[in-house]
Amino acid sequence: MNTAIILAAGQGTRMRSKTPKVLHKVGGKYLLQHVIDASKESVGEINVIVGHNSELVKEAIIDSKINWVLQEEQLGTGHAVQQATPFIEDESICLILYSDVPLLKRTTIKQLINKANSSGFSLLSVLLEEPYGYGRIIRDSNGSIHSIVEQKDANQDQLKINEINTGIMAIKGSLLKKYLSELQPNNSQGEFYLTDIVEKAVKDNVNIASLICESDSEVMGINDKKQLSQAERAHQSSQAEELMSSGLTIMDPKRFDCRGKINFGNDCVVDINVIFEGNNDLGNNVVISPNCIIKDSKIGDNTHILPNSIIENASIGSNTSIGPFARIRPDTSIGNHSKIGNFVEIKKSNVQNNSKISHLSYIGDSKIGNDVNIGAGVITCNYDGSNKHQTEINDGAFIGSNSQLVAPVTIGENATIGAGSTITQNAPDNKLTLSRNKQSTIDKWKRPTKK
Ligand code: UD1
Ligand code: CA
């Protein structure tokens, strides 16, 4: 079985962060997790070389395929790979990857392994207009790979070469172990360079197969926050392309973010500046208007989410309308043909079908039946300062505007609550209940005049 070695021991100083570099995220997923997921199908075991902050990294990333290997001192990329020597089998192909190169595709990994299967050693390079900082690929007069020269060790002619080493390679285990054991830190940085194995293989008459990567974003490394943001955009744009090619209408892929996964039916439309997080599921003909955040939620057929709404860990039925400016908080379910309007907040509640909560309400810890109409400014007073209590509003009830329902309380079927009531006891079915002072008028009252 093939194995992978992922280098993740570096400190990542240029990120200027207390979070280890590999635990920064692209598309809502840790950099290291991207690399693990991309390699998983191609290898049996994944050896992750960790050093700085290894405990934090191990805690964050749980995967049964990982074998954690500690590199106590960072003496170079060659030294890092040497730490995994006990886990490299002679006959298998060993794939070398970097935890800060998160956008590498599965298909590229597979091609690289196929090439190594026939030649014993394959190397992934890329052509860059600005090759500064990278190791250059040196080829001989036949065009075969001869060696790699690091930026700091290169001469003027070598610095002009645009083909650079991505560092990513696949090599037969026995060869890798042999060349690793011969590495010497004879270079300007005094490090054990993994790249030196190339020259050793060439001397050993191994014909190194090269794969030139078509897109440079796939092999871009992340060293600082600017590169992190570039990787994020590259990831979002390739993800948006995939979603559009499977039928999602995205109004502007440059203003689209999905930090997780979306499933969707036919003819769904996502307007600008929408953020999806976690796992989301859209039915058919769902429209998400601008500036919405949708997280871990399910939205049914023909439902329209109007602008500036936030929906989190909720299930919304079909033919329903939410927003604008609605906030649907976790553990909420809204039924079919319902309407949640502007400035309505709903938390941990179940609203059934054909019900309307149209303006400026807070509904928490509630069960609301079918055909209920909740007027503007209604509040369920669910918290007594220590505990949360339930409100139950049964089918067909009508709650007049600006009423407070002090939980625990139940409103009966087809009950009507007069506007402006504070309801502290259960209200019976089919009747009007109200708690409101009688209106009075003072005849001889005069407005004060200004002194
Ligand atoms: C390396 C390559 C260079 C290539 C470039 C691509 C070498 C000698 N050079 O250079 O040819 O163009 O990558 O980005 O291999 N790491 C460890 N332990 C160590 C040292 C590094 O785990 O002791 C890890 C780092 O965390 C990092 C990766 O290896 O993820 C690359 O190391 P870095 O020092 O950044 O290599 P470069 O100088 O960029
Ligand atoms: Ca370096």
Side-chain angles (χ1 to χ4, degrees), residues 14 77 133 150 152 189 191 193:
R14 282 171 286 169
T77 49
E150 291 304 298
K152 289 180 179 146
Q189 303 190 80
E191 290 182 359
Y193 285 173

Side-chain angles (χ1 to χ4, degrees), residues 300-364:
D301 296 349
N302 310 313
T303 283
H304 196 155
I305 311 299
L306 292 152
N308 300 81
S309 297
I310 301 179
I311 300 179
E312 184 180 352
N313 194 10
S315 161
I316 315 290
S318 61
N319 301 289
T320 282
S321 141
I322 307 281
F325 296 98
R327 180 167 180 216
I328 312 293
R329 291 171 54 195
D331 302 317
T332 292
S333 73
I334 311 281
N336 306 326
H337 297 279
S338 286
K339 182 183 171 209
I340 309 300
N342 38 207
F343 307 106
V344 173
E345 174 180 349
I346 304 189
K347 183 214 88 169
K348 213 175 183 179
S349 294
N350 178 326
V351 178
Q352 291 187 331
N353 303 324
N354 292 308
S355 288
K356 291 189 172 70
I357 309 170
S358 296
H359 333 262
L360 300 151
S361 288
Y362 172 66
I363 303 295

Side-chain angles (χ1 to χ4, degrees), residues 7 9-10 71 74-77 80 98 100 134-135 150 165-166 193 195:
L7 274 59
Q71 183 194 22
Q74 281 72 54
L75 304 179
T77 49
Y98 298 80
D100 54 359
Y134 291 98
E150 291 304 298
N165 172 34
T166 65
Y193 285 173
T195 43

Side-chain angles (χ1 to χ4, degrees), residues 101-115:
V101 182
L103 304 183
L104 187 68
K105 296 210 164 92
R106 285 153 214 252
T107 46
T108 308
I109 289 179
K110 284 185 180 154
Q111 278 174 285
L112 198 66
I113 288 180
N114 283 343
K115 286 191 179 244

Side-chain angles (χ1 to χ4, degrees), residues 6-12 14 21-22 49-51 71 73-81 97-101 133-136 148-152 164-169 189 191-196 219 221 223:
I6 302 179
L7 274 59
Q11 195 167 6
R14 282 171 286 169
K21 175 155 92 171
V22 301
I49 316 290
V50 283
Q71 183 194 22
E73 255 187 305
Q74 281 72 54
L75 304 179
T77 49
H79 179 259
V81 177
L97 302 170
Y98 298 80
S99 57
D100 54 359
V101 182
Y134 291 98
R136 309 297 203 281
I148 295 172
V149 177
E150 291 304 298
Q151 169 84 28
K152 289 180 179 146
I164 66 101
N165 172 34
T166 65
I168 295 159
M169 55 179 84
Q189 303 190 80
E191 290 182 359
F192 293 90
Y193 285 173
L194 178 63
T195 43
D196 286 348
V219 291
N223 295 303

Side-chain angles (χ1 to χ4, degrees), residues 210-283:
S210 81
L211 180 64
I212 302 180
C213 193
E214 279 166 24
S215 87
D216 42 6
S217 64
E218 209 187 316
V219 291
M220 76 173 283
I222 294 175
N223 295 303
D224 54 30
K225 296 280 169 73
K226 185 177 171 198
Q227 289 169 330
L228 184 66
S229 77
Q230 289 163 341
E232 180 71 33
R233 285 335 300 162
H235 169 74
Q236 291 300 344
S237 93
S238 85
Q239 187 172 242
E241 267 171 40
E242 277 169 36
L243 292 166
M244 289 187 289
S245 69
S246 31
L248 185 65
T249 299
I250 296 178
M251 298 305 277
D252 181 0
K254 288 201 171 63
R255 289 178 286 173
F256 169 84
D257 289 84
C258 175
R259 302 169 190 160
K261 283 195 181 129
I262 328 175
N263 289 319
F264 54 92
N266 297 320
D267 298 301
C268 291
V269 177
V270 179
D271 213 319
I272 59 168
N273 294 335
V274 171
I275 301 176
F276 290 99
E277 290 181 67
N279 291 313
N280 290 292
D281 204 336
L282 313 183

